[in-house]
Amino acid sequence: TADLHEGLTRLQAGQTDFDVGGVAVDFSGIPQGLHNVLRDLQESPLGAKANQLESMTIEMVAMLFDFIFETKDLPDGIKALLARLQIPVLKAAMLDGAFFAKKSHPSRLLVNELAHAGLGWSPVMGQEDPLYRTIDGIVHQILDHFSDDLTIFDEQRAELEAFLAEEEKAAEENIQSTADEINQKDRLQIASVVAKAEIEKRIEASPVPNFLASFLRQNWQGTLQNVYLEEGEESESWGSGVTTLEDLVWSVQPKRTREDRRHLVAL
């Protein structure tokens, strides 16, 4: 009816203490917190002017928001934002009789997706969190601009989906970056262990002067570590580095034969 539509429009705008068709309306359509204003509407003189179909519609939408308020996993901060959509959703249900028959109804889809997205927010994240601000912005867009064109619900749902897609992309990039960092740290640790093992094995197997032992540990170990990281244990460079390590250790051992001395000169 015209009177009920006018009343809902004024309640959506946050007006109170106004008359519609000689009936006083003294409650706000934009609640603070988890308050079901549709129950207030049912008990008000304005609700009494509704016909039977309108009364049933008010009751069904009120039950929808009761269900939202009772959802345990949904944070109260998000419930309070969704509560502000009660009057616009009721208007949408009255404008389109398919509201309850179609799960794909624009306003139902928007409320469902806002609630689902809201599961990813917690009070410790604060109201400056991008997700909270996005949901809050969508709620204000509906309150400020919805009259009788249901396409605004689809438009705002598209805004939400675009935001969530961007957030998911950023999260995936962050996860990949973190995984790469962890992988790099793991490889660096393995390279350090392998290079150190190669050097300590040669030092323990043969008597080595302190100056050479220090050089191998402080300098050559880093060289082997870098080769392992960049080219791997199967590479020619790794084989060359290990061979050089063995030659260095062998070069300081006593040379008791002419062949050993010739080999040292050749090296």
Side-chain angles (χ1 to χ4, degrees):
T1 58
D3 285 349
L4 186 56
H5 186 272
E6 180 187 349
L8 294 179
T9 298
R10 297 178 74 167
L11 285 171
Q12 178 181 320
Q15 297 181 26
T16 55
D17 299 325
F18 59 90
D19 291 345
V20 175
V23 174
V25 178
D26 59 0
F27 64 91
S28 174
I30 305 179
Q32 298 298 319
L34 312 184
H35 180 65
N36 197 322
V37 296
L38 301 183
R39 300 299 181 194
D40 296 339
L41 176 62
Q42 286 177 311
E43 298 170 4
S44 72
L46 180 61
K49 296 183 66 124
N51 61 36
Q52 184 178 8
L53 179 58
E54 290 169 338
S55 296
M56 290 174 59
T57 303
I58 295 171
E59 172 62 23
M60 294 294 287
V61 177
M63 289 173 63
L64 167 66
F65 280 93
D66 283 340
F67 176 78
I68 290 173
F69 297 153
E70 292 166 6
T71 302
K72 293 181 180 179
D73 294 338
L74 191 62
D76 285 349
I78 301 299
K79 291 178 183 178
L81 290 181
L82 297 182
R84 298 165 70 86
L85 292 177
Q86 291 175 76
I87 298 298
V89 171
L90 175 59
K91 280 177 61 178
M94 289 190 171
L95 285 167
D96 184 357
F99 179 87
F100 298 108
K102 291 169 54 180
K103 289 184 178 181
S104 59
H105 190 277
S107 59
R108 286 183 63 177
L109 284 177
L110 178 63
V111 171
N112 285 343
E113 295 200 19
L114 286 173
H116 187 264
L119 295 172
W121 181 84
S122 67
V124 296
M125 297 165 70
Q127 295 186 3
E128 292 304 311
D129 176 74
L131 175 60
Y132 184 94
R133 291 175 62 184
T134 297
I135 295 176
D136 184 48
I138 289 173
V139 169
H140 277 86
Q141 283 292 319
I142 298 294
L143 287 172
D144 295 342
H145 301 292
F146 173 55
S147 176
D148 55 11
D149 186 357
L150 296 177
T151 58
I152 189 173
F153 291 97
D154 284 329
E155 292 168 356
Q156 292 306 305
R157 184 163 57 90
E159 290 285 333
L160 176 64
E161 290 175 349
F163 167 79
L164 294 176
E166 192 64 30
E167 287 289 292
E168 184 176 355
K169 179 181 177 183
E172 288 176 354
E173 290 175 353
N174 186 50
I175 289 171
Q176 184 60 48
S177 176
T178 303
D180 290 343
E181 289 177 10
I182 293 173
N183 185 44
Q184 181 65 16
K185 288 179 181 178
D186 288 345
R187 291 182 66 243
L188 181 61
Q189 187 174 10
I190 292 170
S192 176
V193 169
V194 171
K196 182 177 180 180
E198 293 289 349
I199 287 171
E200 294 302 324
K201 182 167 63 176
R202 270 73 180 186
I203 291 176
E204 291 172 6
S206 306
V208 175
N210 288 336
F211 81 88
L212 182 57
S214 297
F215 169 79
L216 294 175
R217 288 169 175 148
Q218 295 172 13
N219 299 86
W220 202 245
Q221 181 175 325
T223 298
L224 289 179
Q225 179 176 306
N226 290 336
V227 171
Y228 187 95
L229 279 173
E230 293 173 8
E231 302 186 45
E233 202 171 7
E234 304 298 325
S235 67
E236 184 178 340
S237 297
W238 173 262
S240 175
V242 172
T243 299
T244 301
L245 165 64
E246 293 174 341
D247 287 343
L248 282 168
V249 172
W250 177 82
S251 69
V252 297
Q253 307 306 314
K255 305 296 180 286
R256 294 186 172 85
T257 66
R258 180 175 295 181
E259 289 74 14
D260 285 345
R261 289 191 291 273
R262 285 178 177 173
H263 184 55
L264 177 60
V265 172
L267 284 174

